[in-house]
Amino acid sequence: MNELLEFLKNLLSKFNQLPLTSKLIVGASIAAVIGAIIVVVLVSKPTTKVLLYPQALSPEDFARVTKKLTELNIPFETRDNKFVLVESEEIKQKAKMRLAWEGIIPNNIKGFELFDTQSFTTTDFERNVNLHRALIGEIERHLKMIDDIEDVKVIVPFQQERLFKEDQTERSASVVITPSPYSDIRENKRKIKAIVELVSRGLDIKTENIVVVDNQGNVLSDLLIGDEVTDDIKAAKEQIKIKERIKREIIERIQSTLSKAISTDRLIVSADVDMRWDRKEIEQNKIIPTVVKQDNPLTPYDESQVEVNVPISKKITKEDFKGPAYIPEGPPGVEANVPPGIKEKIDRFTTYNKNEEIVNYEVSKELVKQKNQPYDINRISVAVAVDGVWEVEMKNGEPVIDENGKVKRKFYPPTEEELRNIEQWVKDAVGYNPYRGDKVTVTFIKFDRSKQFAKEDEELLRKYQIRRILIATILVLIVLFLMMLLYRAIMREVLRRRRLREEELARQQQLMREAALRAAEQEGAMVELSVEEKARMELLESIISLAREKPEIAARVIRTWISEE
C-alpha cells in the first residue's frame, strides 16, 4: 500500500510539473479512455428482457397472445405492437408451453416483416436469403386466403448465380396444399391453374416449372397438361428438357474440369447435342474369332493370336496303286478278251493314286439381342472461348495511372500449347468420339472487360487513397508527437535558464546585502531594525547557509516556487 501511495504521489508531482498544454492533453486522453470504457460497458450490458417469439407477430396473433398471457398472470412487456418480451428465459419457456397447451401458436409464416428489424452487421447474403423467404411467405399468405386451401407450403430452391446467363438454370417451385373439407380443388382445373399462375407471377417462374401436389401425393398440376398440348407436343417438350439437361451437364462438367486451372471468368463454354429418339430392337448372329493367345498389355505391340475357326475332327485317306492288280476275265474256260502281249504290258504301265483329307471345323458364334434406350446421343459439339490474363502495372508498390485516370494493365494471351491442352481436357471431359462425329473447338477470344475494369479501378484507387490517408495521418501524428517532445524540451531549457538567472540574481542581491552590512558594521553605524526585519534577516541567513550546505534541496524549493507562479 505504501508503495502504491508513493507511486501516486510521484505521478501527481510529475503531472504538476507539466506545462498547461501537456496537462490538457493528458486530461483529454484520460477522459476519452474513461468515456470509451463506459460506452463499451453500456453497449455490452446484457438485456434483462427476452423475446417470447423471435419473429414479429401479426395483429391477430399479437392480440391472442397478450390476452392469454394476461389471463395466465404472466408478466410481459410489448414493443411496437409486434413483439412480446418476458423477464427471463425460464419464463419464456413456461409461457410458450402454456400458450401451446391452450392451442395458441402464432403463425410462423413470415413475409416482408423480416425487414422490420435489421442489424447493422447483416451481410448481403443474409439480406438475399431474407428476401427469398419474404417472397415465399407472402405467396403462402395469399394462397391461404383461398377458401379451398386449409394449409399450404411453397418450396423454391435457392438459385446460385452464374457468371453467364446461358449457364443459369431455370427456377422451379413446388406447392404442397392441404385442401379444405368438401373442397373440389382436386378436380377443378380452373382453381389449380389459378394457383400455378399466382406462384408464377409472384415469384417470376415459368408455369411449366411449377408442380402442385396435395397432401395425399396427387400431382394436381398434371390436370392442366391435357388442356394445353397434345401428346406429341408433350413428348417434344420432354425431349427438349432432356436435351437441355444433357447440354447443361456437359457444360458444367467442362467448367468444373477447367476451373482447376483457369478461372471461370476467363471461359465461355457452349455445347450442342444431336439426339436420336427412335427406339430399335436389333438381333444379330455374329461369328467371332477364337483367341488362342491373349495380348500382353505390358508390351507396346500386339501379341494376341486368333483363329477364325477351330478343327474338331479330321480324316485322312491315302492310296497308291501302280498297274492293275488283276486282269478282267470272262467265265472260266473262256479266253480273255485281251490281245496277246497286252496283258504283260498292263502290268508295266498301270498306276493308281488316291489322297483324301476331311477336316470338320467349328466356328464361334454370338447371338446378340440389342434394345436401344428411349434416346441416344448421335453427336456432341463443344465450343470453348478462352480469354487471356490481365495484370495491373505496379510502380513503387502502387498501380500506374495513365493520362485518362485509369489503371494500366498488361495483357497476356494464352499460348498455343495451353489451347491444345485445354482442347484435350475438354475431349476427355465430354467423352470425345471421332467415329461419332464429335467436334471440339477451343479458341482464344479477348473479352470486353471495360465495365469490370472500371469497377476494379474505382475500388483499387479508393483502397490506395485510403492507404495514403492512413500513412499521412500516421506521419502527422508522428510529427505532432515529435513537436510535443521538442516543445517540452524547449520549455525545460527555458525554465532551467530562468531558474539559473533567478538564482544568479538572488545571489547577487545577497552579496550586495552582505556588503552593505559589512560596510555599516565597519563604519559603526547603528541600524535600528524592527522585529519582522530581524526575523526575515535570520530566515535569510538560514536559507543562505542551507543553500551552501545542501544546494540540491535549495534548487528543488526554487523550482517548486517557479512552477507555482
Side-chain angles (χ1 to χ4, degrees):
M1 181 62 71
N2 294 330
E3 295 179 356
L4 180 60
L5 293 176
E6 186 66 24
F7 174 75
L8 293 176
K9 289 180 180 179
N10 294 334
L11 186 63
L12 184 60
S13 62
K14 291 182 180 180
F15 179 77
N16 293 329
Q17 295 175 8
L18 295 175
L20 181 60
T21 306
S22 300
K23 290 181 179 179
L24 292 176
I25 293 175
V26 173
S29 301
I30 294 174
V33 172
I34 294 174
I37 293 174
I38 293 173
V39 171
V40 170
V41 171
L42 293 177
V43 171
S44 60
K45 184 178 179 181
T47 58
T48 57
K49 305 290 184 180
V50 294
L51 289 172
L52 183 60
Y53 295 103
Q55 70 273 13
L57 301 178
S58 63
E60 297 80 5
D61 293 334
F62 182 81
R64 290 192 301 145
V65 170
T66 53
K67 181 179 178 181
K68 183 55 66 175
L69 290 176
T70 305
E71 294 176 358
L72 296 174
N73 294 324
I74 297 177
F76 66 94
E77 294 180 4
T78 61
R79 182 189 300 169
D80 300 333
N81 292 329
K82 295 180 181 178
F83 299 94
V84 179
L85 296 91
V86 294
E87 294 293 336
S88 63
E89 189 70 26
E90 182 179 357
I91 297 177
K92 170 186 173 181
Q93 299 299 331
K94 178 181 177 182
K96 292 179 69 175
M97 186 181 301
R98 295 289 299 275
L99 290 173
W101 182 264
E102 296 291 337
I104 300 177
I105 301 177
N107 193 350
N108 289 327
I109 296 178
K110 304 175 185 178
F112 288 102
E113 294 86 355
L114 289 169
F115 296 94
D116 291 344
T117 55
Q118 289 289 321
S119 174
F120 66 92
T121 59
T122 305
T123 62
D124 292 338
F125 177 76
E126 292 175 340
R127 291 190 181 92
N128 292 333
V129 172
N130 288 337
L131 178 60
H132 184 78
R133 295 171 57 195
L135 290 173
I136 294 176
E138 292 294 333
I139 292 297
E140 291 179 351
R141 184 175 299 171
H142 283 75
L143 289 175
K144 276 197 169 185
M145 296 172 62
I146 301 176
D147 296 335
D148 294 86
I149 297 177
E150 181 177 348
D151 194 10
V152 64
K153 181 66 177 177
V154 179
I155 303 173
V156 180
F158 196 79
Q159 192 176 25
Q160 184 179 5
E161 294 292 335
R162 299 299 181 94
L163 182 61
F164 299 101
K165 184 177 180 181
E166 56 268 16
D167 299 338
Q168 194 71 38
T169 57
E170 294 183 353
R171 300 180 63 193
S172 59
S174 302
V175 183
V176 181
I177 65 172
T178 301
S180 301
Y182 310 106
S183 173
D184 63 341
I185 194 171
R186 288 190 175 94
E187 297 82 16
N188 196 322
K189 299 179 181 179
R190 181 176 56 83
K191 294 180 180 180
I192 297 174
K193 186 176 182 181
I195 296 174
V196 173
E197 291 293 337
L198 179 62
V199 176
S200 174
R201 297 178 184 272
L203 299 177
D204 192 18
I205 301 176
K206 294 182 179 179
T207 56
E208 58 265 22
N209 294 335
I210 299 174
V211 177
V212 181
V213 184
D214 64 359
N215 58 339
Q216 297 180 357
N218 300 317
V219 183
L220 305 181
S221 55
D222 286 348
L223 299 176
L224 304 178
I225 298 178
D227 295 340
E228 295 180 358
V229 293
T230 60
D231 293 339
D232 293 339
I233 297 178
K234 179 181 176 181
K237 284 187 175 182
E238 292 296 328
Q239 291 175 2
I240 293 174
K241 288 183 180 180
I242 294 173
K243 183 176 180 179
E244 293 297 326
R245 177 176 58 82
I246 294 175
K247 287 172 58 177
R248 185 167 60 251
E249 290 176 354
I250 292 174
I251 294 174
E252 291 178 354
R253 195 184 312 150
I254 295 172
Q255 290 178 343
S256 63
T257 303
L258 296 179
S259 62
K260 299 178 181 179
I262 303 174
S263 58
T264 54
D265 62 337
R266 292 178 52 202
L267 292 173
I268 297 178
V269 182
S270 60
D272 189 21
V273 182
D274 184 15
M275 308 292 295
R276 186 180 69 247
W277 305 102
D278 52 339
R279 301 185 64 175
K280 293 182 180 180
E281 293 184 6
I282 302 174
E283 183 175 349
Q284 296 177 344
N285 192 357
K286 295 182 179 180
I287 297 176
I288 59 175
T290 303
V291 179
V292 179
K293 181 180 179 181
Q294 295 288 344
D295 180 32
N296 186 4
L298 300 179
T299 58
Y301 50 87
D302 189 6
E303 296 181 352
S304 62
Q305 294 181 3
V306 296
E307 295 288 344
V308 179
N309 44 37
V310 179
I312 58 174
S313 63
K314 186 174 183 181
K315 178 183 177 181
I316 299 176
T317 302
K318 185 177 181 182
E319 293 184 2
D320 189 11
F321 177 76
K322 294 182 180 181
Y326 63 92
I327 297 174
E329 296 181 355
V334 178
E335 290 289 337
N337 191 15
V338 177
I342 296 302
K343 184 176 181 180
E344 292 79 5
K345 293 180 181 180
I346 289 175
D347 295 335
R348 290 184 298 171
F349 295 104
T350 301
T351 59
Y352 174 75
N353 293 320
K354 181 180 181 182
N355 293 323
E356 184 180 14
E357 183 176 357
I358 300 174
V359 180
N360 295 323
Y361 291 93
E362 181 69 24
V363 295
S364 298
K365 295 183 180 181
E366 181 182 16
L367 181 61
V368 179
K369 292 183 178 181
Q370 183 178 358
K371 185 177 181 180
N372 292 342
Q373 296 296 328
Y375 61 88
D376 196 5
I377 299 176
N378 275 339
R379 183 172 58 87
I380 298 177
S381 299
V382 179
V384 180
V386 184
D387 190 14
V389 179
W390 292 88
E391 289 187 358
V392 178
E393 295 186 14
M394 305 294 290
K395 184 177 181 181
N396 299 327
E398 293 189 359
V400 180
I401 309 299
D402 59 8
E403 59 276 2
N404 297 325
K406 299 181 179 179
V407 178
K408 285 188 177 181
R409 291 178 172 83
K410 290 183 179 179
F411 181 73
Y412 299 94
T415 61
E416 293 295 332
E417 183 179 359
E418 290 177 347
L419 295 178
R420 287 194 297 269
N421 292 335
I422 293 173
E423 183 177 355
Q424 185 61 41
W425 287 352
V426 173
K427 289 181 178 179
D428 295 340
V430 302
Y432 176 76
N433 186 0
Y435 301 102
R436 193 172 55 187
D438 295 349
K439 185 176 182 182
V440 175
T441 304
V442 179
T443 58
F444 158 62
I445 297 179
K446 191 174 181 179
F447 296 172
D448 182 14
R449 299 181 180 268
S450 56
K451 294 183 179 179
Q452 176 185 350
F453 288 163
K455 186 177 181 180
E456 290 179 357
D457 292 350
E458 182 181 357
E459 183 68 22
L460 192 62
L461 293 176
R462 187 178 65 84
K463 175 182 176 182
Y464 280 96
Q465 185 178 4
I466 294 174
R467 179 182 174 185
R468 295 191 196 99
I469 293 173
L470 291 177
I471 294 174
T473 304
I474 294 173
L475 293 177
V476 169
L477 293 176
I478 293 174
V479 171
L480 291 176
F481 180 73
L482 295 176
M483 290 178 64
M484 187 180 69
L485 294 179
L486 181 62
Y487 173 76
R488 294 184 61 182
I490 294 174
M491 290 301 297
R492 288 197 194 98
E493 183 65 21
V494 170
L495 294 175
R496 188 183 68 81
R497 292 184 180 184
R498 183 187 299 174
R499 185 177 65 252
L500 293 176
R501 185 169 62 253
E502 290 178 353
E503 291 177 356
E504 181 65 22
L505 182 60
R507 188 180 64 79
Q508 292 178 1
Q509 291 178 356
Q510 182 63 27
L511 291 176
M512 291 175 63
R513 289 191 187 94
E514 292 178 357
L517 290 174
R518 286 193 298 269
E521 289 176 357
Q522 291 176 1
E523 294 177 357
M526 299 301 293
V527 180
E528 294 292 337
L529 298 175
S530 64
V531 178
E532 295 178 357
E533 290 178 349
K534 289 180 180 180
R536 185 180 301 169
M537 186 63 68
E538 292 176 358
L539 179 61
L540 183 59
E541 290 177 357
S542 301
I543 293 173
I544 291 172
S545 61
L546 179 63
R548 289 176 179 175
E549 294 175 0
K550 297 180 179 180
E552 297 84 2
I553 299 176
R556 188 181 301 171
V557 172
I558 294 172
R559 189 180 300 114
T560 304
W561 289 348
I562 295 172
S563 62
E564 290 178 354
E565 293 177 357

